[in-house]
Each structure stands twice: as structure tokens, then as C-alpha cells.
Amino acid sequence: MTRYFTKDHEWIDVDGDAATVGITDYAQGQLGDVVFVEVPDAGRQLSQGGDAAVVESVKAASDVYAPVSGTVTEGNAALSDTPDLVNTSPEADGWFFKLTLSNPSELDGLMDEGAYKEFVAGL
Amino acid sequence: MSEANDLPPQTLPLDGWHRARGARMVPFAGYQMPIQYEGIMAEHLWTRENAGLFDVSHMGQLLISGPDVDVELEELLPADVKGLGIDKMRYSLLLNEQGGILDDLMLTRQADGFYMVVNGATKYDDIGHMREHLPDEITLNHLEESALLALQGPKAGEVLARIQPEVARLYFMEAGAFDLDGVPAWVSRSGYTGEDGFEISIAAEHGERIASLLCDQPEVKPIGLGARDSLRLEAGLPLYGHDLDEETTPITADLGFALSKRRREEGGFPGADRILLEREQGPVLKRVGLIVEGRQPVREGAAVVDADGNEVGKVTSGGFSPSLERPIAMAYVPAGSAVPGTRVRLNQRAKIFEAEVTAMPFVPHRYHRKGAAK
């Protein structure tokens, strides 16, 4: 399994054509206390860079974009009752949705962990 | 959240103090201000249970004095300024000729004039307006070298009394001059959270030391602007530039209490004809509190819609209430829908939300009122 990152602070774990998407620890720190998450339903088609989910903190609402194109296979139902999983476990239990990749070559444009760390350090 | 000024944000006297304590700084009302330290939720709940220290030095502090200054101020405000006793304070509104709200403010009578605290984003406009309308004999002194700290929360009273026992004599909406650890301070028992607490005006040069002295008390933590906003929303207190503006009147804004009885009877304040007529006949729109169904916050800018989806009002403040653990909002709705219990529909980014009009405050005020049972 390989983990990629986007400049919009999403992570994506890829295993063959199956992937899991969430937001990074840096992103949750910037958002602050998460009070609501809206994840996409299974079957929804996502295109790279398009709206995929909504995350709201006490402070503000933010869109989460699809890091790659594909079809959603599952939204994380746990986030509706415990949205603060995004704060406490952003890169594990606080995942947003799983999808089947439709264009794996899109992964080539994403960052690996080292590159993402460098990107965040420069912010 | 802020009325963006065109100029780059300025720094306030406690800028370095906030940064040293881990604050995340953001531009607000033309200044770099701390939005949060450890997190809005934790800071909010800490203030409701203990005491929080807020730096509100961006606000405008003014001293107004001169011959018949109370009579002159009544030309600009609908408050009974003449009847305000020494060291007593009153909430009031700076009104334009049409009765629109230019700003909301706190006014305190001192022995030799008035101390006024106005909003940071509007202070220069307020000064211009007052300078234009007050006679030349009236002196307007902008205390630009003063810091303003707010200590708020159920433990604020015991904390400040530890530093200066004499402040215990103050009740809600009273003020006076006190010595705080050798620093001359003007202390008001007032605030913007719905809790008991104080607002403390001191020379900017002493700001960091007094802030540190207060935060050294185990009950006190520094609190950012984020929690200040969620606390005031729960307390049902409007925020100028969001819930109030020049298009809203005291009646529409449900701030009729700011029209003192004598002034209502005598008139003679800006926009009196319109405001008194509106008070008698009822406004078209009215500011109300809303409890929003579900968990998703509905924020400023969302529309209040009728059954056909037509916009009939707007949400002016909204967010997640840390104390109630659900979304709440303030909105202007048609007067016929302003009765608590009325169901209203909101449209935010093409999504419909159900909400119910509710009496404010959302969280009961706990002021230290004179004569009130403890």
C-alpha cells in the first residue's frame, strides 16, 4: 500500500485500484475542532479536484476535494456521530471515504510523504 | 469574521505576549489578533466553567467631556444619558438620521465626563461622526495608548478580588477606578460572554504584566477571538457588522431595551420618528435566535426561505454551540415568524435546513446583578 498527499492536505492510501482518502494531521490542526462531516455516498462518481466532502469546524466550513477520479465504495459512517475522529485520528480512524480509481495515472501528480512534509514546512 | 481594512493589519500592545503563549494570529478589525490558543471548543468551555482572559485592545476607548456633555450625547444616542449615575454604565447605539445603527457601544459616566467603548472596526468612523455632530466645546479623547482586557467567567469575581479586593463591590454594569498590583485601572463589571466578569482598561505599557498576572491565577487561561464569538452567540449578543449595520434599526434588531423610557416619551434622538413608529406598529423583520436541526452549522449569509423557496430573511451569525453541542444561529426573519417555536427553513449552499425560532440567550446569562439571589 502506498500513501500519497495533495496540496489541499488530503492523504490517499492506494492498494491496487482501491483507495482510502482522508485529511492530514496538518489540515485538522488548521481547521480546529471538527463538529460536522459530510461524506459522499457509495456509488457517487468523483472527478479529480472536484468537491467530495464537507468538513466543518467551530470556526468555518471547508470543502474536501477528490484527490483522484473514481467511484465511491464507502463513506465513513462513524464520522456522522463522532466527527471529532478527524481531530483525534486524522490519518487512520478519521478517514473520509473509499473509492475505486478510474484513472490511476492521476496518482503520478501527487506527493509522497517526504515531499508533503517539505510542502507543509514551507507554508 | 472581520471588516477587512485596506491597510495591512497593525499590531496591538500584547502581540508578542499572545504569540509567546502559542496563539494563532489572524487579521481582524485592522489588527493582528489571537483567534485561538489551544482550541476554540476547549477555550469556550473553560470560560463557561472557570475564567478566560480576552485581549480586546482593538476596541475604541474614548473619553468625552465638556459643558452639558450628557445633553449633547443624547443628540446622538437613544439612551437616558442625563439620568446615568456616576460609575454606572449603559448599553447604547450610535444612530444615523434614519435610525440605522452606526455602532453599538458601552457608555459609563465618570466624575468628569463619559467613558465610551466602541467596536474596533468602526471606531474611526464613530469618532468622525461624533466629532462632526458634537459641539467644538466637547472634548473627544481617543485612548490609543490604552489596552483593554476582559476577564470573563464564573470565577472572574474571585480571581480579580484576589488581586484587588475592592472590585467585589461592583455589580453588573458598574465601574470604577482601582489599583491592580500598582497599576491604575478603570474596571467595569461587564462583558460579552453572558458570564460574570470585568473589562479592565490600563495603560498599554502595563498590558503584558497585568495579563500575565491574571493568567498566573489557576482559574484563568487566555482565550481567543474564536471562542469570544461562540460565547457571545450563545449569550444572544449581536456583533456589529454582522447582526447589526446601518440598515438595521434598534427595533428590527430587537434592541428596544436600549431606548430608555424617557427618551421614548420625549423623542429627539436620531431617527426617532421612524424608530418610534416601528416600535408601535412592529417591524417588518426582526432579529431572532434559531436552533438548527442536525449537526451541521448554518452560518452568516445563509438565506431564510419561505415554503416556495423565496428568500424572506437572512442568517447573520451562526455556528456550533460548544455548550449546547448543536448548531445555533441569529437571523432576521419576517416579524410574523419571530415568535419562539415557529419553524423556519434555511438555505445554505443549495441545501435546506430546518430550524426553530427560540428565545435568546441560548445559554442563560449569569451576571452579578445587584439584588439578585446568588
Side-chain angles (χ1 to χ4, degrees), chain A residues 29-36 38 54 56-61 80-81 83, chain B residues 24 35-36 39-42 226 230 295-297 299 319-320 322 348-349 351:
Chain A
Q30 289 295 308
L31 287 171
D33 305 301
V34 171
V35 296
F36 175 83
E38 184 178 82
V54 175
E56 302 225 12
S57 67
V58 176
K59 218 166 39 199
S80 62
D81 286 334
Chain B
R24 185 180 301 165
I35 181 96
Q36 66 171 65
I40 295 173
M41 197 84 87
S230 54
R295 280 193 66 99
Q296 185 169 15
R299 302 178 192 272
F320 192 81
Q348 175 170 260
R349 299 191 299 266
K351 187 171 165 183

Short mmCIF file of all heavy atoms in Angstrom, two decimals, chain A residues 29-36 38 54 56-61 80-81 83, chain B residues 24 35-36 39-42 226 230 295-297 299 319-320 322 348-349 351:
data_model
loop_
_atom_site.label_atom_id
_atom_site.label_comp_id
_atom_site.label_asym_id
_atom_site.label_seq_id
_atom_site.Cartn_x
_atom_site.Cartn_y
_atom_site.Cartn_z
N GLY A 29 -5.35 20.26 12.22
CA GLY A 29 -4.83 21.27 13.14
C GLY A 29 -5.22 22.68 12.72
O GLY A 29 -5.52 23.53 13.55
N GLN A 30 -5.23 22.89 11.40
CA GLN A 30 -5.61 24.21 10.89
C GLN A 30 -7.11 24.44 11.07
O GLN A 30 -7.54 25.56 11.37
CB GLN A 30 -5.26 24.32 9.40
CG GLN A 30 -3.77 24.41 9.13
CD GLN A 30 -3.16 25.68 9.69
OE1 GLN A 30 -3.63 26.79 9.42
NE2 GLN A 30 -2.13 25.54 10.50
N LEU A 31 -7.91 23.39 10.87
CA LEU A 31 -9.37 23.53 10.98
C LEU A 31 -9.80 23.77 12.42
O LEU A 31 -10.74 24.50 12.68
CB LEU A 31 -10.06 22.26 10.49
CG LEU A 31 -10.06 22.01 8.99
CD1 LEU A 31 -10.57 20.60 8.71
CD2 LEU A 31 -10.93 23.04 8.29
N GLY A 32 -9.13 23.10 13.35
CA GLY A 32 -9.59 23.15 14.74
C GLY A 32 -10.69 22.12 14.96
O GLY A 32 -10.87 21.20 14.15
N ASP A 33 -11.46 22.32 16.05
CA ASP A 33 -12.45 21.33 16.47
C ASP A 33 -13.47 21.03 15.37
O ASP A 33 -14.29 21.88 15.04
CB ASP A 33 -13.17 21.84 17.71
CG ASP A 33 -12.21 22.20 18.83
OD1 ASP A 33 -11.46 21.30 19.24
OD2 ASP A 33 -12.20 23.36 19.26
N VAL A 34 -13.45 19.81 14.86
CA VAL A 34 -14.39 19.42 13.82
C VAL A 34 -15.72 19.03 14.46
O VAL A 34 -15.76 18.24 15.39
CB VAL A 34 -13.82 18.27 12.97
CG1 VAL A 34 -14.87 17.71 12.02
CG2 VAL A 34 -12.61 18.76 12.19
N VAL A 35 -16.81 19.63 13.96
CA VAL A 35 -18.14 19.38 14.55
C VAL A 35 -19.09 18.70 13.58
O VAL A 35 -20.16 18.24 13.97
CB VAL A 35 -18.78 20.68 15.06
CG1 VAL A 35 -17.94 21.27 16.20
CG2 VAL A 35 -18.95 21.71 13.95
N PHE A 36 -18.72 18.63 12.30
CA PHE A 36 -19.62 18.02 11.31
C PHE A 36 -18.81 17.60 10.10
O PHE A 36 -17.93 18.32 9.65
CB PHE A 36 -20.69 19.03 10.88
CG PHE A 36 -21.57 18.52 9.78
CD1 PHE A 36 -22.67 17.71 10.06
CD2 PHE A 36 -21.29 18.81 8.45
CE1 PHE A 36 -23.47 17.22 9.04
CE2 PHE A 36 -22.09 18.33 7.43
CZ PHE A 36 -23.19 17.53 7.72
N GLU A 38 -19.57 15.71 6.20
CA GLU A 38 -20.50 15.12 5.23
C GLU A 38 -19.65 14.35 4.22
O GLU A 38 -18.83 14.95 3.51
CB GLU A 38 -21.28 16.22 4.52
CG GLU A 38 -22.34 15.71 3.57
CD GLU A 38 -23.11 16.88 2.95
OE1 GLU A 38 -22.60 17.47 1.97
OE2 GLU A 38 -24.18 17.23 3.48
N VAL A 54 -17.56 17.58 2.87
CA VAL A 54 -17.55 18.86 3.58
C VAL A 54 -17.12 18.59 5.01
O VAL A 54 -17.57 17.63 5.63
CB VAL A 54 -18.96 19.50 3.57
CG1 VAL A 54 -18.98 20.77 4.42
CG2 VAL A 54 -19.42 19.80 2.16
N GLU A 56 -16.71 20.68 8.71
CA GLU A 56 -16.97 21.95 9.39
C GLU A 56 -16.37 21.92 10.78
O GLU A 56 -16.60 21.00 11.56
CB GLU A 56 -18.49 22.19 9.50
CG GLU A 56 -19.17 22.19 8.14
CD GLU A 56 -20.16 23.33 7.98
OE1 GLU A 56 -20.14 24.25 8.83
OE2 GLU A 56 -20.92 23.29 7.01
N SER A 57 -15.64 22.97 11.09
CA SER A 57 -15.13 23.15 12.45
C SER A 57 -16.00 24.20 13.12
O SER A 57 -16.91 24.75 12.51
CB SER A 57 -13.67 23.60 12.41
OG SER A 57 -13.59 24.89 11.87
N VAL A 58 -15.73 24.46 14.40
CA VAL A 58 -16.46 25.52 15.08
C VAL A 58 -16.34 26.81 14.27
O VAL A 58 -17.28 27.57 14.13
CB VAL A 58 -15.90 25.73 16.50
CG1 VAL A 58 -16.59 26.90 17.19
CG2 VAL A 58 -16.06 24.47 17.34
N LYS A 59 -15.16 26.99 13.68
CA LYS A 59 -14.81 28.23 13.01
C LYS A 59 -15.40 28.38 11.61
O LYS A 59 -15.91 29.43 11.25
CB LYS A 59 -13.28 28.27 12.91
CG LYS A 59 -12.64 29.58 13.11
CD LYS A 59 -11.13 29.47 13.34
CE LYS A 59 -10.41 28.45 12.49
NZ LYS A 59 -9.10 28.09 13.07
N ALA A 60 -15.29 27.32 10.79
CA ALA A 60 -15.59 27.51 9.37
C ALA A 60 -15.91 26.19 8.67
O ALA A 60 -15.59 25.11 9.17
CB ALA A 60 -14.40 28.16 8.67
N ALA A 61 -16.52 26.31 7.49
CA ALA A 61 -16.80 25.16 6.64
C ALA A 61 -15.71 25.06 5.58
O ALA A 61 -15.27 26.07 5.04
CB ALA A 61 -18.15 25.33 5.96
N SER A 80 -20.42 10.66 11.24
CA SER A 80 -21.65 11.41 11.48
C SER A 80 -21.91 11.56 12.98
O SER A 80 -22.40 12.60 13.42
CB SER A 80 -22.84 10.77 10.75
OG SER A 80 -23.07 9.48 11.25
N ASP A 81 -21.58 10.55 13.76
CA ASP A 81 -21.78 10.66 15.21
C ASP A 81 -20.54 11.14 15.95
O ASP A 81 -20.65 11.76 17.00
CB ASP A 81 -22.20 9.30 15.80
CG ASP A 81 -23.64 8.97 15.43
OD1 ASP A 81 -24.41 9.91 15.20
OD2 ASP A 81 -23.97 7.77 15.37
N PRO A 83 -17.64 13.19 14.69
CA PRO A 83 -16.83 13.95 13.75
C PRO A 83 -15.44 14.28 14.29
O PRO A 83 -14.50 14.50 13.53
CB PRO A 83 -17.65 15.22 13.50
CG PRO A 83 -18.61 15.31 14.64
CD PRO A 83 -18.88 13.91 15.06
N ARG B 24 -2.66 31.52 17.61
CA ARG B 24 -2.67 31.65 16.16
C ARG B 24 -3.25 33.02 15.85
O ARG B 24 -4.36 33.35 16.25
CB ARG B 24 -3.53 30.55 15.54
CG ARG B 24 -3.48 30.56 14.02
CD ARG B 24 -4.34 29.48 13.42
NE ARG B 24 -3.93 28.16 13.84
CZ ARG B 24 -4.69 27.07 13.69
NH1 ARG B 24 -5.88 27.15 13.15
NH2 ARG B 24 -4.25 25.89 14.09
N ILE B 35 -6.77 34.33 17.32
CA ILE B 35 -8.06 33.65 17.06
C ILE B 35 -8.24 32.50 18.04
O ILE B 35 -9.34 32.22 18.49
CB ILE B 35 -8.17 33.19 15.59
CG1 ILE B 35 -9.52 32.52 15.31
CG2 ILE B 35 -7.06 32.24 15.18
CD1 ILE B 35 -10.54 33.40 14.73
N GLN B 36 -7.13 31.83 18.39
CA GLN B 36 -7.22 30.73 19.35
C GLN B 36 -5.84 30.40 19.90
O GLN B 36 -4.82 30.74 19.31
CB GLN B 36 -7.84 29.48 18.72
CG GLN B 36 -6.98 28.87 17.62
CD GLN B 36 -7.51 27.51 17.17
OE1 GLN B 36 -8.58 27.42 16.63
NE2 GLN B 36 -6.72 26.47 17.41
N GLY B 39 -7.52 25.84 21.34
CA GLY B 39 -8.64 25.39 20.53
C GLY B 39 -9.92 26.06 20.99
O GLY B 39 -10.13 26.26 22.18
N ILE B 40 -10.78 26.40 20.04
CA ILE B 40 -11.97 27.19 20.36
C ILE B 40 -12.89 26.46 21.34
O ILE B 40 -13.38 27.05 22.30
CB ILE B 40 -12.73 27.54 19.06
CG1 ILE B 40 -11.86 28.47 18.19
CG2 ILE B 40 -14.07 28.19 19.37
CD1 ILE B 40 -12.43 28.76 16.82
N MET B 41 -13.10 25.17 21.09
CA MET B 41 -14.02 24.41 21.95
C MET B 41 -13.54 24.41 23.40
O MET B 41 -14.30 24.71 24.32
CB MET B 41 -14.10 22.98 21.41
CG MET B 41 -15.26 22.20 21.92
SD MET B 41 -16.73 22.53 20.94
CE MET B 41 -16.53 21.33 19.64
N ALA B 42 -12.28 24.06 23.61
CA ALA B 42 -11.72 24.00 24.97
C ALA B 42 -11.74 25.38 25.63
O ALA B 42 -12.07 25.51 26.82
CB ALA B 42 -10.30 23.44 24.93
N GLY B 226 -12.02 33.41 18.53
CA GLY B 226 -12.93 32.36 18.08
C GLY B 226 -13.94 32.03 19.16
O GLY B 226 -15.15 32.00 18.92
N SER B 230 -18.16 32.52 19.72
CA SER B 230 -19.14 31.47 20.06
C SER B 230 -19.79 31.75 21.42
O SER B 230 -20.97 31.45 21.62
CB SER B 230 -18.48 30.08 20.03
OG SER B 230 -17.32 30.02 20.83
N ARG B 295 -26.57 18.42 12.85
CA ARG B 295 -25.28 18.81 13.43
C ARG B 295 -24.54 19.84 12.61
O ARG B 295 -23.55 20.42 13.07
CB ARG B 295 -24.38 17.56 13.56
CG ARG B 295 -24.68 16.69 14.76
CD ARG B 295 -23.55 15.70 14.97
NE ARG B 295 -22.29 16.35 15.33
CZ ARG B 295 -21.84 16.46 16.57
NH1 ARG B 295 -22.53 15.98 17.57
NH2 ARG B 295 -20.69 17.04 16.80
N GLN B 296 -24.98 20.06 11.38
CA GLN B 296 -24.20 20.95 10.50
C GLN B 296 -24.51 22.41 10.80
O GLN B 296 -25.67 22.83 10.75
CB GLN B 296 -24.51 20.65 9.03
CG GLN B 296 -23.63 21.46 8.09
CD GLN B 296 -23.73 21.01 6.64
OE1 GLN B 296 -24.64 20.28 6.27
NE2 GLN B 296 -22.77 21.44 5.83
N PRO B 297 -23.48 23.21 11.08
CA PRO B 297 -23.73 24.63 11.35
C PRO B 297 -24.26 25.36 10.11
O PRO B 297 -23.87 25.06 8.99
CB PRO B 297 -22.34 25.17 11.71
CG PRO B 297 -21.53 23.98 12.09
CD PRO B 297 -22.07 22.85 11.25
N ARG B 299 -24.35 29.16 8.74
CA ARG B 299 -23.53 30.33 9.09
C ARG B 299 -24.05 31.61 8.45
O ARG B 299 -24.98 31.59 7.65
CB ARG B 299 -22.08 30.07 8.68
CG ARG B 299 -21.51 28.80 9.34
CD ARG B 299 -20.10 28.51 8.89
NE ARG B 299 -19.65 27.19 9.28
CZ ARG B 299 -19.06 26.88 10.44
NH1 ARG B 299 -18.83 27.82 11.33
NH2 ARG B 299 -18.70 25.65 10.71
N GLY B 319 -23.22 29.18 14.05
CA GLY B 319 -22.09 28.30 14.31
C GLY B 319 -22.53 27.17 15.20
O GLY B 319 -23.71 27.00 15.49
N PHE B 320 -21.54 26.43 15.65
CA PHE B 320 -21.80 25.29 16.53
C PHE B 320 -21.66 25.78 17.95
O PHE B 320 -20.68 26.41 18.32
CB PHE B 320 -20.78 24.19 16.23
CG PHE B 320 -21.12 22.88 16.87
CD1 PHE B 320 -22.05 22.03 16.30
CD2 PHE B 320 -20.51 22.49 18.05
CE1 PHE B 320 -22.38 20.81 16.89
CE2 PHE B 320 -20.82 21.27 18.65
CZ PHE B 320 -21.75 20.43 18.06
N PRO B 322 -20.71 25.20 21.51
CA PRO B 322 -19.98 24.21 22.31
C PRO B 322 -20.73 23.82 23.58
O PRO B 322 -20.67 22.68 24.01
CB PRO B 322 -18.66 24.92 22.64
CG PRO B 322 -18.47 25.89 21.51
CD PRO B 322 -19.87 26.39 21.23
N GLN B 348 -28.60 27.05 2.70
CA GLN B 348 -27.16 27.33 2.71
C GLN B 348 -26.52 26.49 1.62
O GLN B 348 -26.60 25.26 1.66
CB GLN B 348 -26.57 26.97 4.08
CG GLN B 348 -25.04 27.11 4.14
CD GLN B 348 -24.49 26.99 5.54
OE1 GLN B 348 -24.19 27.98 6.18
NE2 GLN B 348 -24.39 25.77 6.05
N ARG B 349 -25.88 27.14 0.66
CA ARG B 349 -25.24 26.45 -0.46
C ARG B 349 -26.17 25.38 -1.05
O ARG B 349 -25.82 24.23 -1.20
CB ARG B 349 -23.90 25.83 -0.03
CG ARG B 349 -22.88 26.88 0.46
CD ARG B 349 -21.49 26.30 0.63
NE ARG B 349 -21.44 25.23 1.60
CZ ARG B 349 -21.12 25.38 2.88
NH1 ARG B 349 -20.82 26.59 3.34
NH2 ARG B 349 -21.08 24.36 3.70
N LYS B 351 -28.61 23.80 0.08
CA LYS B 351 -29.08 22.72 0.96
C LYS B 351 -30.06 23.33 1.96
O LYS B 351 -29.81 24.39 2.51
CB LYS B 351 -27.88 22.10 1.67
CG LYS B 351 -28.19 20.87 2.49
CD LYS B 351 -26.88 20.23 2.95
CE LYS B 351 -27.12 19.23 4.06
NZ LYS B 351 -25.87 18.65 4.56
#
